[in-house]
Amino acid sequence: MTSDPVRLGVVGLGRAFALTAPAFAAHPGVRLVAAAAPRAESRRAFETAFSGRTFESVEALCADSDVEAVYVTTPHGMHRDHAIAAARAGKHVLLEKPIAVELDDAEAIVAACESAGVRLIVGPSHSFDAPVEQAAKLIRSGELGRVRMVQALNCTDFLYRPRRPEELRTELGGGVIFSQGVHQVDIVRLLCGGLATSVFARTGAWDPERPTEGAYAALIDFAGGVFASLTYSGYGRFDSDGWQGGVDELGRDKDPGLYGAARRALGAADDETALKAARSFTSMAETPAASHHEHFGPIIAFCEKGDIHLTPDGIEIFGDERRETRPAPFRTARAEVADALVAAVRGGASPLQTGRWGLASLEVCHAMLESAESGRPAALRRQIGVPS
Amino acid sequence: MTSDPVRLGVVGLGRAFALTAPAFAAHPGVRLVAAAAPRAESRRAFETAFSGRTFESVEALCADSDVEAVYVTTPHGMHRDHAIAAARAGKHVLLEKPIAVELDDAEAIVAACESAGVRLIVGPSHSFDAPVEQAAKLIRSGELGRVRMVQALNCTDFLYRPRRPEELRTELGGGVIFSQGVHQVDIVRLLCGGLATSVFARTGAWDPERPTEGAYAALIDFAGGVFASLTYSGYGRFDSDGWQGGVDELGRDKDPGLYGAARRALGAADDETALKAARSFTSMAETPAASHHEHFGPIIAFCEKGDIHLTPDGIEIFGDERRETRPAPFRTARAEVADALVAAVRGGASPLQTGRWGLASLEVCHAMLESAESGRPAALRRQIGVPS
């Protein structure tokens, strides 16, 4: 493992990059050297912030021989083309969740990366959050016996954040199942060992103005008789962050005065696409200053000898006779994603969140929709376990 | 409606009566006039506290012509005999939840009460808690549009409270499904309109020393496309009361020093049955002093125009742009059960929690076990709606 920073190129300079850029900027093992984006404004912002090269096209970025790895953070429907272009150019790939919308697109991405001999990491995803890894490690250690049940709840304003039209169309990967469910599934799979066997789910699309899934409840079976209950609402009302110390998903102490802000901003906007563009990467100064880990709502793992509550600062363990808090050291938000990238590219280490892992989580998302449609449990066939 | 108090006889002077006695003692519309219990110690305690008559047998109590209504609070397996004895003697019946263990026993109880022309109320149950009724009324008012999803979680030390042997045998009505699930089902049915159509569930029996269900997760479908997710653990570790203002199930501010107390007491006891007997009714002085409503864990109703969180003090409404708290006036714990008894006996009013309502909730409990066994959703056929 050398000390040369990984030379990272970025495809797509939208909201996801704005939220992840601080982790790369702060990490000694990563250097942001290039980016591709269609909007000139975004390219200028990248050049100013990182003194990097920019390109209008993904192809041009992939032809840049200085780039070792490509972070693909374009809309879901473009993941296949962009990830495969990077792989074929011999670049390692860090690919935003979900890996893709369609399972065959995900298969094609995995195959292209395997065939090119490059690493594929699906992330950032909340399964990288340090308290999640901390809880998963504790479970694997056996200290609390086997995990038997997991309960996960998250309530956000997801549906009222500004959206492009396709983000409100399920068949194009819109709605909360693909963008948010995949986080919850990723976390729950990690805690439960990965090998989901079947899913039973109900979904809700309750706002005719935004006619895609905004909520769901699901029960997932795992190998070994473990089961997990997942509930999500993106309708921006009940605030489950109140049960997470008042810390928001991005690890910031929440301002109660901002209750309803997403809906208000959307209601006041003439042009939703413009409102969305305004949330793209503009400078490092506008990135949120987190003081806690990111989180995805209150999650409890019920084990044979104790329960674990994942918090934005670590984990709480509820034993037979006492409670205990174990903090997870905080550096910068998403530092763990940068760690995984460096370990994969420089150390040859395989992250948990490989392409096949991301494909398995995507399969669960599709199975949720299938079960909600059929009224029956949906079987799963592409699951992989957590490596021991 | 006259002002004469309802003359109530009690069958069984165990823990359930100890918890309900204060509501009757404080209510101007109820007078505790008689009781039947096998233990002389319990009978003496009742005589001392209420200057009432006592009997060794249920038959003798039912032959007491001064008794107008009988509160049956004996073990689940005795409900059928005791409720039918009371009905045949022409007494109105207040019957502890669950109405019975077996559905045919429940049917027989309902038929006996209908045939005798007496009122049957199944309770106390947490569906009587004032915040539950407040939330249900708000939903019925239409102010927040239709309810679409409900999320209910409760974590208690149920499995480690002292038990008689049959309370740890599922086939005899032991375990959390019949004793605890029925509360959660009652509440959720009330919020969702009552007409459950199908249940999908997973159960857990994870302590070989106490080999009955201690946990479950379930998804319940209701008429109109409403669905509810229920999770329960009675293994006494994660404390969901922390999300309910630190108030325990009985409406008392919780002492953090009592964490793990049930398990410790059980571990230290030589004789579990004796430990249980010690929790029976002994005097009014030992009943807990509640300062909030009873509750059954955090419950959220997601409606079209706002979400409702049920708290021990009322409800919190999460609207599009603001949050609002609506308190529910508190008198004494379980005052609402006494209200319902008086309204039924003196006013001829039918409570929500009739025998047929209790039968429907019991059916859901059986369906949870059936679904967990079969791996498929279980259909429901005996459901009734909430009267409008």
Side-chain angles (χ1 to χ4, degrees):
Chain A
M1 195 154 172
T2 86
S3 59
D4 281 352
V6 173
R7 298 182 303 279
L8 185 63
V10 183
V11 178
L13 296 172
R15 183 69 179 165
F17 177 68
L19 297 178
T20 310
F24 294 135
H27 203 285
V30 178
R31 192 146 51 89
L32 286 161
V33 299
R39 294 169 67 244
E41 192 182 341
S42 292
R43 294 195 300 273
R44 279 194 304 272
F46 184 90
E47 289 162 7
T48 303
F50 306 106
S51 307
R53 298 174 294 285
T54 63
F55 305 94
E56 277 184 65
S57 79
V58 178
E59 293 67 30
L61 177 87
C62 292
D64 183 335
S65 60
D66 188 50
V67 169
E68 292 178 280
V70 171
Y71 172 29
V72 177
T73 173
T74 45
H76 307 161
M78 301 178 182
H79 282 189
R80 177 180 177 145
D81 287 353
H82 294 166
I84 291 177
R88 288 193 179 151
K91 317 295 188 191
H92 300 288
V93 180
L94 173 65
L95 177 56
E96 269 284 333
K97 59 80 210 167
I99 180 173
V101 177
E102 297 304 328
L103 287 167
D104 57 3
D105 288 338
E107 295 274 17
I109 292 167
V110 169
C113 290
E114 285 177 354
S115 149
V118 298
R119 295 280 173 188
L120 169 59
I121 306 172
V122 179
S125 140
H126 282 292
S127 62
F128 281 97
D129 299 344
V132 175
E133 181 55 31
Q134 188 187 16
K137 269 190 186 154
L138 177 60
I139 290 170
R140 285 197 296 272
S141 78
E143 180 183 335
L144 300 180
R146 285 174 299 171
V147 63
R148 306 309 304 256
M149 174 171 86
V150 168
Q151 163 70 39
L153 169 71
N154 200 19
C155 299
T156 74
D157 56 13
F158 181 85
L159 213 65
Y160 298 98
R161 298 176 200 157
R163 299 290 165 207
R164 290 181 304 275
E166 82 265 21
E167 292 181 282
L168 300 174
R169 292 180 56 189
T170 307
E171 70 278 15
L172 298 177
V176 302
I177 305 288
F178 292 112
S179 283
Q180 299 282 283
V182 75
H183 278 302
Q184 218 175 24
V185 167
D186 238 23
I187 295 168
V188 165
R189 287 186 58 237
L190 178 47
L191 299 177
C192 295
L195 291 166
T197 55
S198 130
V199 180
F200 187 82
R202 290 294 175 259
T203 60
W206 305 321
D207 183 348
E209 303 282 311
R210 303 176 84 75
T212 182
E213 292 78 22
Y216 63 81
L219 272 180
I220 308 181
D221 283 318
F222 287 87
V226 185
F227 55 89
S229 171
L230 291 68
T231 302
Y232 186 93
S233 167
Y235 286 104
R237 293 173 186 132
F238 177 75
D239 182 8
S240 57
D241 292 339
W243 294 348
Q244 293 287 81
V247 173
D248 75 9
E249 181 180 344
L250 299 175
R252 302 170 300 188
D253 293 306
K254 211 160 175 170
D255 176 355
L258 292 180
Y259 183 85
R263 231 191 209 93
R264 272 196 300 278
L266 192 63
D270 290 330
D271 179 348
E272 186 166 349
T273 304
L275 190 64
K276 175 156 182 125
R279 285 160 50 95
S280 293
F281 178 75
T282 51
S283 81
M284 287 295 287
E286 58 88 55
T287 46
S291 47
H292 311 267
H293 294 286
E294 297 196 353
H295 72 93
F296 205 69
I299 296 173
I300 309 149
F302 298 82
C303 305
E304 287 172 320
K305 299 178 193 170
D307 299 339
I308 309 168
H309 172 210
L310 284 65
T311 78
D313 299 303
I315 56 176
E316 286 182 89
I317 302 171
F318 294 76
D320 284 355
E321 304 216 347
R322 62 194 194 92
R323 297 170 59 154
E324 178 192 346
T325 297
R326 294 190 192 170
F330 177 73
R331 292 171 291 164
T332 54
R334 307 191 177 187
E336 296 77 14
V337 178
D339 290 347
L341 177 70
V342 174
V345 173
R346 286 285 172 269
S350 179
L352 170 79
Q353 294 89 347
T354 59
R356 292 203 176 273
W357 178 269
L359 173 61
S361 292
L362 178 66
E363 186 193 28
V364 176
C365 295
H366 279 280
M368 285 167 60
L369 290 170
E370 181 190 329
S371 171
E373 178 73 21
S374 72
R376 293 188 297 271
L380 299 164
R381 294 180 186 84
R382 305 174 199 230
Q383 299 298 300
I384 60 169
V386 176
S388 49
Chain B
M1 195 155 173
T2 88
S3 58
D4 281 354
V6 172
R7 297 182 303 279
L8 185 63
V10 183
V11 178
L13 296 172
R15 183 70 180 164
F17 177 67
L19 296 178
T20 311
F24 293 136
H27 202 286
V30 178
R31 193 146 50 89
L32 287 160
V33 298
R39 293 170 68 242
E41 191 182 344
S42 293
R43 293 197 300 274
R44 279 195 303 274
F46 184 88
E47 290 161 7
T48 303
F50 305 107
S51 308
R53 299 174 293 284
T54 63
F55 306 93
E56 277 186 65
S57 78
V58 178
E59 293 66 30
L61 178 87
C62 291
D64 183 334
S65 60
D66 187 51
V67 169
E68 293 178 278
V70 171
Y71 172 30
V72 177
T73 172
T74 45
H76 306 163
M78 301 177 182
H79 282 191
R80 177 181 178 145
D81 288 351
H82 294 166
I84 291 177
R88 287 192 178 152
K91 317 296 188 192
H92 300 288
V93 179
L94 174 65
L95 177 56
E96 270 284 335
K97 59 80 208 168
I99 180 172
V101 177
E102 298 304 328
L103 288 168
D104 58 3
D105 289 337
E107 296 274 17
I109 293 167
V110 169
C113 291
E114 286 176 355
S115 149
V118 298
R119 296 277 172 187
L120 169 59
I121 305 172
V122 179
S125 141
H126 282 291
S127 63
F128 281 97
D129 298 346
V132 175
E133 181 54 31
Q134 187 187 18
K137 270 190 184 153
L138 177 61
I139 290 171
R140 285 198 296 270
S141 78
E143 182 183 333
L144 299 179
R146 285 175 299 172
V147 62
R148 306 309 305 255
M149 174 171 85
V150 168
Q151 162 71 38
L153 169 71
N154 200 20
C155 298
T156 74
D157 55 13
F158 182 85
L159 213 65
Y160 298 97
R161 299 176 200 158
R163 300 290 165 205
R164 290 181 303 274
E166 82 265 22
E167 293 180 280
L168 300 175
R169 292 180 57 190
T170 307
E171 70 279 16
L172 298 177
V176 301
I177 305 288
F178 292 112
S179 283
Q180 298 283 282
V182 75
H183 279 302
Q184 217 175 24
V185 167
D186 239 22
I187 295 168
V188 165
R189 287 185 58 234
L190 178 48
L191 299 177
C192 294
L195 291 166
T197 55
S198 134
V199 180
F200 187 82
R202 290 292 175 261
T203 60
W206 305 321
D207 182 348
E209 303 283 311
R210 302 177 84 74
T212 182
E213 292 79 21
Y216 62 82
L219 271 180
I220 307 181
D221 283 319
F222 287 88
V226 185
F227 55 90
S229 171
L230 290 69
T231 303
Y232 185 93
S233 166
Y235 285 103
R237 293 173 185 130
F238 177 74
D239 183 7
S240 57
D241 292 338
W243 294 348
Q244 293 288 81
V247 174
D248 75 8
E249 181 180 344
L250 299 176
R252 301 170 301 188
D253 293 307
K254 210 160 176 171
D255 175 357
L258 292 179
Y259 183 87
R263 233 194 207 90
R264 273 196 299 277
L266 193 64
D270 290 331
D271 179 349
E272 185 167 350
T273 304
L275 191 63
K276 174 155 184 127
R279 284 160 49 95
S280 293
F281 177 76
T282 52
S283 81
M284 288 295 288
E286 58 87 54
T287 47
S291 48
H292 311 268
H293 294 286
E294 296 194 354
H295 72 93
F296 204 70
I299 296 174
I300 309 149
F302 298 82
C303 305
E304 287 172 321
K305 299 177 193 169
D307 299 340
I308 309 168
H309 172 210
L310 285 65
T311 79
D313 298 303
I315 56 176
E316 286 183 88
I317 302 171
F318 295 75
D320 284 354
E321 304 216 347
R322 63 194 194 91
R323 297 170 58 154
E324 179 193 345
T325 297
R326 294 190 192 170
F330 176 73
R331 293 172 290 164
T332 53
R334 306 192 177 186
E336 297 76 15
V337 178
D339 291 346
L341 177 69
V342 174
V345 174
R346 287 283 173 269
S350 180
L352 171 79
Q353 294 88 347
T354 60
R356 293 203 176 276
W357 178 270
L359 174 61
S361 292
L362 179 65
E363 186 193 27
V364 175
C365 295
H366 279 280
M368 285 167 59
L369 290 169
E370 180 191 329
S371 171
E373 179 72 23
S374 72
R376 292 188 297 272
L380 299 163
R381 292 177 187 87
R382 305 174 201 229
Q383 299 298 300
I384 61 169
V386 177
S388 48

